Amino acid sequence: MPKVYLTRIEKFNAAHRLWVDDWSEEKNFEQFGKCANKNWHGHNYTLEVTVSGSPDPVTGFIVDVKKLSKIIHKEVVDHLDHRNLNLDVPFTRDVMPTTENMAIIIWRRLQDKLEGCQLHKIKLEETDKIYAEYYGE
Amino acid sequence: MPKVYLTRIEKFNAAHRLWVDDWSEEKNFEQFGKCANKNWHGHNYTLEVTVSGSPDPVTGFIVDVKKLSKIIHKEVVDHLDHRNLNLDVPFTRDVMPTTENMAIIIWRRLQDKLEGCQLHKIKLEETDKIYAEYYGE
Amino acid sequence: MPKVYLTRIEKFNAAHRLWVDDWSEEKNFEQFGKCANKNWHGHNYTLEVTVSGSPDPVTGFIVDVKKLSKIIHKEVVDHLDHRNLNLDVPFTRDVMPTTENMAIIIWRRLQDKLEGCQLHKIKLEETDKIYAEYYGE
Amino acid sequence: MPKVYLTRIEKFNAAHRLWVDDWSEEKNFEQFGKCANKNWHGHNYTLEVTVSGSPDPVTGFIVDVKKLSKIIHKEVVDHLDHRNLNLDVPFTRDVMPTTENMAIIIWRRLQDKLEGCQLHKIKLEETDKIYAEYYGE
Amino acid sequence: MPKVYLTRIEKFNAAHRLWVDDWSEEKNFEQFGKCANKNWHGHNYTLEVTVSGSPDPVTGFIVDVKKLSKIIHKEVVDHLDHRNLNLDVPFTRDVMPTTENMAIIIWRRLQDKLEGCQLHKIKLEETDKIYAEYYGE
Amino acid sequence: MPKVYLTRIEKFNAAHRLWVDDWSEEKNFEQFGKCANKNWHGHNYTLEVTVSGSPDPVTGFIVDVKKLSKIIHKEVVDHLDHRNLNLDVPFTRDVMPTTENMAIIIWRRLQDKLEGCQLHKIKLEETDKIYAEYYGE
């Protein structure tokens, strides 16, 4: 049975900041630069969810992409879109919302929700100069 | 003397929300949807600044792009990047920060700062589904 | 009152072919090349709808983009997406579905449906090597 | 000898539909949605062919990209471009032409045709929201 | 007769430098920065050629895009692609090859070569941060 | 400790040509086509540097991206940008500057310079039709 990787791309817009409460303002700006601005900044995030599996002999699908898209919205995008990652979202507000950590969090939200295929990779682009990838390792 | 249009592209990331103080929360969400989230959301903005002029017979430039880029940073990007448009920026915080209004504001910041060329257009992309253009009309 | 141009981008996928019934197969292939294939081919179309107007002093909108998007879907995208332009769509099937003609047709579908703003331009991209623009002239 | 992966990108436009003959029209639309439209729809496909090998000590090439491009055209693009995948193409018309299956089929067309390098991956983008990858596993 | 604008996109790669022979090396670097490097640098240029006209009532074309592409190659791309703009090309080597000047030169190469449509605009992108547009004014 | 891959994207413009001194001009053009032009041509290169590591429990970073960007500039971009790869750059001028070889060379420049994370991949795009990837294998 051939193994194929299928990727669905979704987008969301969110506000965040990078800030360690235990640190002084000076130390926060030294570490995080402009990303520490107390009044937040934000991004257009692009999320790529890659799953693996074998195409069904009848439908040719390894997963119904419409269903996959619905799961991604229900578990991830509906919670993050037009939200503040540090304040609004129960599963992100206790974590530093870097691209790296967000990729791990999104993996954990999705890994048990897929049927008939395996979650293979989460790729999250924060800007056109940086992205993170997580394979559940 | 041939007239050429030259465009420089710069990017910035900012937080904002759309909210009318005189309205109820209900009316704000009816009008602005998720954009009214009180804890902000944000975008990667792409700004295109177009100027017009004739190429200098010696240098071939209608404007020195490095100088143009410095002016755009000094007047616009350094003020908006990694900031909250509703709270942090004196020239945006008393205006509803829609893409339309931001394009007008950026035009007004730049129009008197250019030497040897004319400001022709401000184009501001908020997401890959929406952008505004302003010609100073 | 400043005049701003706002653009909304939507996408659809459709099948078509270029073929003149009155011509021989040979003449059709001479004129249209591979685009004359009798079993159709297709494209991912990107549609940009640009409107002009003045930002509302309260909302900062020249048009509510969510409403604009709904109108574009109701009048255009819902009819064209995943359809055959030569067979399925009453308002395209009697016209040669070139990029040029499609831009005109989409303009005519939208021009009377917008409230509080003016339709300024229809831009339709057929591939990453060709697009058409129509201003209602 | 260092092992490098080199990718060549080619494009083609094709029509298809997703439809199971043994199913009712109702069941087909339930499964495939608009993709089941009997009069076809189509896409601009982007194909990435990745090969691996060691750069030749003299030419610096792991493969002559012009030759690789010719092979991709001869074996794949010339057969698929401006065609109907369900009707026109002997090696796709008996398979459900999903992105997943198309990636496998393209792999099989190319795997024995390359000299001096190994086929590593086929990536096929159907729209800007979905793509499939196949490594021959 | 409706007037439509049709754009064809072509690409080429070239080397150039910005340098005034009458100036000292110091003054050249002060004006042109890294672009004055004596051993050249280069770009992937993206050229957009926009023509205007009315769709033919039979073919739906304002111009046969395959013919337009051939003219662009014959008059422009075949001369510039993989060439040095300062040394190799008779119609660019006596001009400072800035984006602005290149747009004017390309306009002049094409304006008399089109039949049945009007040249409307030349857009030339040098990098993803800068482009020039020329309308023959 | 979860393992995440983080990618930073940087750009540079350079001139080069593909040419073997020991070969005749005829043989060079037969092998390298237009890339053998003696007066050089050039490209806008896009460089992706991927590192792997675990997010720091406090900062959420696997690497400080600003520091990573500085290292990439110091070791790679500052040497290559607006330069001639065959003439100007000590670490590229004795190698055929194909995309493949450039990816290997960039890997070797960076592999010992990173602290607290592992270099995972160098991806180098030469045009929008070709790119090379190297994993240090």
Side-chain angles (χ1 to χ4, degrees):
Chain A
M1 295 282 284
K3 183 182 184 185
V4 184
Y5 298 83
L6 189 80
T7 299
R8 174 71 181 185
I9 299 171
E10 304 285 353
K11 306 197 175 194
F12 61 90
N13 312 311
H16 78 155
R17 72 164 172 164
L18 304 183
W19 182 270
V20 175
D21 282 337
D22 295 345
W23 291 0
S24 67
E25 187 167 326
E26 192 183 13
K27 187 170 177 186
N28 270 291
F29 275 93
E30 191 188 311
Q31 173 68 61
F32 297 117
K34 294 178 294 185
C35 296
N37 176 32
K38 77 177 192 301
N39 285 326
W40 324 101
H41 66 282
H43 298 289
N44 302 337
Y45 289 91
T46 299
L47 169 63
E48 301 197 5
V49 176
T50 303
V51 300
S52 67
S54 289
D56 180 275
V58 177
T59 65
F61 286 164
I62 61 170
V63 63
D64 181 332
V65 186
K66 292 191 301 296
K67 281 187 194 164
L68 177 59
S69 178
K70 273 184 198 165
I71 294 168
I72 300 170
H73 274 85
K74 186 183 167 203
E75 300 296 330
V76 179
V77 173
D78 292 352
H79 299 266
L80 304 181
D81 191 32
H82 284 74
R83 298 281 163 72
N84 184 310
L85 304 177
N86 303 72
L87 298 178
D88 292 334
V89 188
F91 57 87
T92 66
R93 71 183 161 208
D94 297 325
V95 184
M96 184 70 70
T98 58
T99 324
E100 295 93 312
N101 276 340
M102 292 299 300
I104 296 171
I105 289 169
I106 293 169
W107 173 282
R108 290 176 181 166
R109 295 283 299 176
L110 288 173
Q111 65 176 336
D112 297 331
K113 302 300 185 303
L114 307 176
E115 289 177 17
C117 63
Q118 291 286 320
L119 184 57
H120 173 67
K121 183 170 77 165
I122 296 298
K123 179 181 175 182
L124 185 67
E125 292 185 23
E126 193 181 271
T127 70
D128 58 3
K129 302 193 86 173
I130 186 165
Y131 62 82
E133 294 164 298
Y134 184 58
Y135 295 82
E137 298 169 307
Chain B
M1 295 282 285
K3 184 183 183 184
V4 184
Y5 298 83
L6 189 80
T7 299
R8 173 73 181 183
I9 300 171
E10 305 284 353
K11 306 198 175 193
F12 60 91
N13 312 311
H16 77 155
R17 72 165 173 164
L18 304 182
W19 181 270
V20 175
D21 282 338
D22 294 346
W23 291 358
S24 67
E25 187 168 325
E26 191 184 14
K27 187 170 176 185
N28 270 291
F29 274 92
E30 191 188 311
Q31 174 67 59
F32 297 117
K34 294 177 294 186
C35 297
N37 176 31
K38 77 176 193 301
N39 285 327
W40 324 100
H41 66 282
H43 298 290
N44 303 339
Y45 288 91
T46 299
L47 169 64
E48 300 196 5
V49 176
T50 303
V51 301
S52 67
S54 289
D56 181 274
V58 177
T59 64
F61 285 163
I62 60 170
V63 64
D64 181 332
V65 186
K66 291 191 301 295
K67 282 188 192 162
L68 177 59
S69 178
K70 273 184 197 167
I71 294 168
I72 300 169
H73 274 85
K74 185 182 167 203
E75 299 296 329
V76 180
V77 173
D78 292 351
H79 300 266
L80 304 181
D81 190 32
H82 283 74
R83 297 282 162 71
N84 184 311
L85 304 177
N86 303 71
L87 298 179
D88 291 333
V89 188
F91 58 86
T92 66
R93 70 183 161 208
D94 297 326
V95 184
M96 185 70 70
T98 58
T99 324
E100 296 94 312
N101 276 341
M102 291 299 299
I104 297 171
I105 288 169
I106 292 170
W107 172 281
R108 290 176 181 165
R109 295 284 299 175
L110 288 172
Q111 66 176 335
D112 297 332
K113 303 301 184 304
L114 307 176
E115 290 177 16
C117 64
Q118 291 286 319
L119 185 57
H120 174 67
K121 183 170 78 166
I122 296 297
K123 178 180 175 182
L124 186 67
E125 292 185 23
E126 194 181 271
T127 70
D128 59 3
K129 302 193 86 173
I130 187 165
Y131 61 83
E133 294 164 299
Y134 184 59
Y135 295 81
E137 299 169 307
Chain C
M1 295 283 284
K3 184 183 184 185
V4 184
Y5 298 83
L6 190 81
T7 299
R8 174 72 181 184
I9 300 171
E10 305 284 355
K11 306 199 175 193
F12 59 91
N13 312 312
H16 78 156
R17 73 164 172 163
L18 304 183
W19 181 270
V20 175
D21 282 338
D22 294 346
W23 290 359
S24 67
E25 186 168 326
E26 190 184 14
K27 186 168 178 187
N28 270 292
F29 275 93
E30 190 188 312
Q31 174 66 60
F32 297 117
K34 293 177 294 185
C35 297
N37 175 32
K38 77 177 194 301
N39 285 327
W40 325 99
H41 65 282
H43 298 289
N44 303 338
Y45 289 92
T46 299
L47 169 63
E48 300 196 6
V49 176
T50 303
V51 301
S52 67
S54 290
D56 181 275
V58 176
T59 64
F61 286 164
I62 62 170
V63 64
D64 181 333
V65 186
K66 292 189 302 295
K67 282 188 193 164
L68 177 58
S69 178
K70 273 185 197 166
I71 294 168
I72 300 170
H73 274 85
K74 186 182 167 201
E75 298 297 329
V76 180
V77 173
D78 292 351
H79 299 266
L80 304 181
D81 190 31
H82 284 74
R83 297 281 163 71
N84 184 310
L85 304 177
N86 303 70
L87 299 178
D88 292 332
V89 188
F91 58 86
T92 66
R93 70 183 162 209
D94 297 326
V95 184
M96 184 70 69
T98 57
T99 324
E100 295 94 312
N101 276 340
M102 291 300 298
I104 298 171
I105 289 169
I106 292 170
W107 173 281
R108 289 175 181 165
R109 294 284 298 175
L110 288 173
Q111 65 176 338
D112 297 331
K113 302 301 185 303
L114 307 175
E115 289 177 17
C117 64
Q118 291 286 321
L119 185 57
H120 174 66
K121 183 170 79 168
I122 296 298
K123 179 180 175 182
L124 185 67
E125 292 185 23
E126 195 182 271
T127 70
D128 58 3
K129 302 193 86 173
I130 186 164
Y131 62 83
E133 294 164 298
Y134 184 58
Y135 294 82
E137 298 170 307
Chain D
M1 295 283 284
K3 183 183 183 185
V4 184
Y5 298 83
L6 190 80
T7 299
R8 173 71 181 184
I9 300 172
E10 305 285 352
K11 306 198 175 196
F12 60 90
N13 312 311
H16 78 156
R17 72 164 173 163
L18 304 182
W19 182 270
V20 175
D21 281 339
D22 294 346
W23 291 359
S24 67
E25 186 167 328
E26 190 184 15
K27 186 170 177 186
N28 270 291
F29 275 92
E30 191 189 311
Q31 173 67 60
F32 297 116
K34 293 177 295 185
C35 296
N37 175 32
K38 76 176 194 302
N39 286 327
W40 324 100
H41 66 282
H43 298 289
N44 303 338
Y45 289 92
T46 299
L47 169 63
E48 300 196 6
V49 176
T50 303
V51 301
S52 67
S54 289
D56 180 275
V58 176
T59 65
F61 285 163
I62 61 170
V63 64
D64 181 334
V65 185
K66 292 190 302 295
K67 281 188 194 163
L68 176 59
S69 177
K70 272 184 200 166
I71 293 168
I72 300 170
H73 274 86
K74 187 183 167 202
E75 299 296 330
V76 180
V77 173
D78 292 351
H79 299 267
L80 304 180
D81 191 31
H82 284 74
R83 298 280 162 72
N84 184 311
L85 304 177
N86 303 72
L87 298 178
D88 292 333
V89 188
F91 59 86
T92 67
R93 70 184 163 208
D94 297 325
V95 184
M96 185 71 69
T98 58
T99 324
E100 295 94 311
N101 277 340
M102 291 300 299
I104 298 171
I105 288 168
I106 292 169
W107 173 282
R108 289 175 181 166
R109 294 284 298 174
L110 288 173
Q111 65 176 335
D112 297 332
K113 301 302 184 301
L114 307 176
E115 289 176 20
C117 63
Q118 290 286 321
L119 184 57
H120 173 67
K121 182 170 78 166
I122 296 298
K123 179 180 176 183
L124 185 67
E125 292 185 23
E126 194 181 272
T127 71
D128 58 2
K129 301 193 86 174
I130 186 165
Y131 62 82
E133 294 164 298
Y134 184 59
Y135 295 81
E137 297 170 306
Chain E
M1 296 282 284
K3 183 183 183 183
V4 184
Y5 298 82
L6 190 80
T7 300
R8 173 71 181 184
I9 299 172
E10 304 285 354
K11 306 198 175 194
F12 60 91
N13 312 312
H16 78 154
R17 73 164 173 164
L18 304 183
W19 181 269
V20 176
D21 282 338
D22 294 345
W23 292 0
S24 67
E25 187 167 326
E26 190 182 15
K27 187 171 176 184
N28 270 292
F29 274 93
E30 191 187 311
Q31 174 68 59
F32 297 117
K34 294 177 294 187
C35 297
N37 176 31
K38 76 176 194 301
N39 285 327
W40 323 101
H41 66 283
H43 298 289
N44 303 338
Y45 288 91
T46 299
L47 169 63
E48 300 197 6
V49 176
T50 303
V51 301
S52 67
S54 289
D56 181 275
V58 177
T59 65
F61 286 164
I62 62 171
V63 64
D64 181 332
V65 186
K66 291 190 303 293
K67 282 188 193 164
L68 176 59
S69 178
K70 273 183 198 166
I71 293 169
I72 300 169
H73 274 86
K74 186 183 168 201
E75 300 297 328
V76 180
V77 173
D78 292 352
H79 300 266
L80 304 181
D81 190 31
H82 284 74
R83 297 282 163 72
N84 184 311
L85 304 177
N86 303 72
L87 298 179
D88 291 334
V89 188
F91 58 87
T92 66
R93 70 182 163 210
D94 298 325
V95 185
M96 184 70 70
T98 58
T99 324
E100 296 94 311
N101 276 339
M102 291 300 298
I104 297 170
I105 289 168
I106 292 169
W107 173 282
R108 290 175 180 165
R109 295 282 300 174
L110 287 173
Q111 65 177 335
D112 297 331
K113 303 300 185 302
L114 306 176
E115 289 177 18
C117 64
Q118 291 286 320
L119 184 57
H120 174 68
K121 183 170 78 167
I122 296 298
K123 178 180 175 182
L124 186 67
E125 291 185 24
E126 194 181 271
T127 70
D128 59 2
K129 302 193 86 172
I130 186 163
Y131 61 83
E133 294 164 299
Y134 184 59
Y135 295 81
E137 298 170 307
Chain F
M1 296 282 285
K3 184 182 183 185
V4 184
Y5 298 83
L6 189 81
T7 299
R8 173 71 181 184
I9 299 171
E10 305 284 353
K11 306 198 174 192
F12 59 91
N13 312 311
H16 77 155
R17 73 164 171 164
L18 304 183
W19 182 270
V20 175
D21 282 337
D22 293 346
W23 291 358
S24 67
E25 187 167 328
E26 191 183 14
K27 186 168 177 188
N28 271 291
F29 275 92
E30 191 188 312
Q31 174 67 59
F32 297 117
K34 294 178 293 186
C35 296
N37 176 32
K38 77 176 192 301
N39 285 327
W40 324 100
H41 65 282
H43 298 290
N44 303 338
Y45 289 91
T46 300
L47 169 63
E48 301 197 5
V49 176
T50 303
V51 301
S52 67
S54 289
D56 181 275
V58 176
T59 64
F61 286 165
I62 61 170
V63 63
D64 181 333
V65 185
K66 292 190 302 295
K67 282 188 194 163
L68 176 59
S69 178
K70 273 184 199 167
I71 294 168
I72 300 170
H73 275 85
K74 186 183 166 200
E75 299 297 329
V76 180
V77 173
D78 292 351
H79 299 267
L80 304 180
D81 190 31
H82 285 74
R83 297 282 162 71
N84 184 310
L85 304 177
N86 303 71
L87 298 178
D88 291 332
V89 188
F91 58 86
T92 66
R93 70 183 162 209
D94 297 325
V95 184
M96 184 70 69
T98 57
T99 324
E100 295 93 313
N101 276 340
M102 291 300 299
I104 298 171
I105 288 169
I106 292 169
W107 173 282
R108 289 176 181 166
R109 295 284 299 175
L110 288 172
Q111 65 176 336
D112 297 331
K113 302 301 185 303
L114 307 175
E115 290 177 18
C117 64
Q118 291 286 322
L119 185 57
H120 174 67
K121 183 170 77 166
I122 296 298
K123 179 180 175 182
L124 186 67
E125 292 185 24
E126 193 181 273
T127 71
D128 59 2
K129 302 193 86 174
I130 186 164
Y131 62 82
E133 294 164 299
Y134 184 58
Y135 295 82
E137 297 169 307

